[in-house]
């Protein structure tokens, strides 16, 4: 993989040329910033910027004013190659809180490691209705120890209003949800985004996470997506790299909560 070329393609397609990730959201291109604005349940934030030392502080202030004026918290997705070099420090000084750094990993759908199949005792099911979404959210909450209210709302909205743009999957051990994940499939995009993959503690290390990746990769390939993209945590990065993912840069969420 030509890392620089694929990263440039990712920036152009998925950041500068972003499309809204839900029916309640819109993409706004304002000067040197591309941002998404939606309702309180949507992801709101800055996806791309082209700033330098002379413009960064002013533009950061403009984004804070935009989102707080709507009563919304927001995220600035800062990538390791974004300028200026001290943009992270400027965001922090403006009141945004840096979350743990993640790694942008990309793989070609046709060049992943061979699929070993679904682990014994596990069935992978796609959520197509409210009952399926509830299973996905139950697994997510158990795996991450976080509230899944916003995730439930977003998945139900996407399934109702934009069918085919999100794939939510749950791994069942009998009737018990033990892992879940989702994939964003934006129309015409060359990248499919893998998000939210998590497994409950008792089932980790058994190949369930890998099976969820393989399932989504097959769906992405069937939809004509050449690449898979993940913002990987330190826990998932080694698994994904063994499957054929390549590290392109880092990404650090910076959160503003008014």
């Amino acid at each position: 993989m030509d890392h620089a070329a694929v990263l440039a393609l990712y920036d152009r397609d998925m950041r500068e040329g972003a499309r809204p990730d839900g029916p309640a959201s819109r993409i706004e291109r304002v000067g040197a910033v591309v941002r998404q604005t939606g309702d309180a349940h949507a992801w709101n934030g800055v996806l791309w910027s082209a700033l330098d030392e002379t413009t960064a502080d002013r533009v950061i202030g403009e984004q804070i004013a935009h989102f707080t004026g709507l009563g919304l918290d927001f995220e600035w997705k800062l990538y390791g190659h974004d300028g200026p070099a001290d943009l992270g420090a400027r965001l922090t000084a403006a009141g945004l809180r840096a979350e743990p750094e993640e790694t942008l990993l990309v793989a070609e759908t046709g060049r992943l490691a061979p699929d070993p199949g679904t682990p014994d005792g596990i069935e992978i099911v796609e959520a197509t209705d409210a009952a399926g979404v509830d299973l996905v959210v139950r697994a997510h909450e158990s795996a991450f120890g976080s509230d899944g209210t916003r995730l439930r709302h977003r998945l139900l909205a996407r399934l109702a209003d934009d069918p085919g743009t999100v794939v939510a999957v749950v791994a069942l051990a009998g009737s018990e949800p033990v892992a879940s994940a989702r994939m964003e499939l934006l129309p015409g995009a060359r990248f499919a985004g893998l998000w939210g993959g998590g497994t409950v503690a008792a089932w980790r290390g058994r190949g369930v996470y890998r099976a969820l990746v393989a399932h989504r990769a097959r769906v992405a390939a069937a939809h004509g997506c050449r690449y898979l993209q993940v913002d990987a945590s330190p826990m998932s990065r080694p698994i994904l790299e063994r499957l054929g993912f390549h590290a392109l840069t880092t990404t650090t969420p910076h959160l503003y909560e008014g």
Side-chain angles (χ1 to χ4, degrees):
M1 178 182 289
D2 184 334
H3 290 193
V6 175
L7 180 58
L9 181 64
Y10 177 82
D11 281 344
R12 186 167 67 248
D13 278 16
M14 306 305 292
R15 300 182 64 206
E16 189 175 4
R19 281 151 283 193
D21 68 359
S25 300
R26 62 186 182 275
I27 295 295
E28 299 167 324
R29 295 171 174 84
V30 183
V33 161
V34 175
R35 67 192 181 208
Q36 177 169 288
T37 303
D39 61 22
H41 294 287
W43 183 88
N44 292 284
V46 174
L47 293 156
W48 175 87
S49 64
L51 308 177
D52 59 29
E53 293 84 353
T54 66
T55 60
D57 292 335
R58 173 180 55 79
V59 173
I60 291 170
E62 290 171 351
Q63 304 319 303
I64 292 172
H66 167 74
F67 287 107
T68 57
L70 296 172
L72 298 170
D73 299 335
F74 75 99
E75 174 184 334
W76 189 303
K77 284 186 69 68
L78 174 66
Y79 289 79
H81 59 294
D82 289 344
D86 64 347
L87 182 54
R90 291 172 185 264
L91 290 169
T92 301
L96 287 86
R97 185 183 77 252
E99 292 286 281
E101 182 181 273
E102 299 172 321
T103 304
L104 174 66
L105 298 178
V106 171
E108 293 189 65
T109 54
R111 295 192 176 185
L112 293 178
D115 179 7
T118 305
D120 291 341
I122 292 292
E123 178 186 11
I124 295 179
V125 178
E126 292 188 17
T128 58
D129 55 20
V133 168
D134 284 343
L135 291 172
V136 169
V137 173
R138 280 177 55 194
H140 180 89
E141 291 179 332
S142 297
F144 293 104
S146 59
D147 178 60
T149 301
R150 179 174 289 187
L151 173 62
R152 177 182 287 104
H153 183 278
R154 292 178 66 187
L155 287 177
L156 289 173
R158 291 287 290 276
L159 289 173
D161 299 327
D162 278 336
T165 64
V166 64
V167 177
V169 291
V170 60
L172 299 174
S175 60
E176 185 64 22
V178 299
S180 66
R182 65 190 190 276
M183 177 169 65
E184 305 282 349
L185 285 168
L186 300 178
R190 285 173 279 196
F191 292 82
L194 306 187
W195 303 97
T199 307
V200 302
W203 278 87
R204 290 171 189 162
R206 304 194 197 186
V208 180
Y209 179 88
R210 178 172 178 161
L212 291 177
V213 173
H215 180 94
R216 289 175 290 168
R218 289 192 295 271
V219 175
H223 280 77
C225 294
R226 181 175 178 181
Y227 298 104
L228 300 171
Q229 168 262 318
V230 185
D231 290 350
S233 69
M235 180 182 295
S236 60
R237 177 177 175 175
I239 302 171
L240 292 163
E241 288 184 324
R242 287 195 294 271
L243 295 180
F245 283 77
H246 297 256
L248 300 188
T249 187
T250 60
T251 177
T252 306
H254 283 69
L255 305 181
Y256 191 93
E257 298 169 331

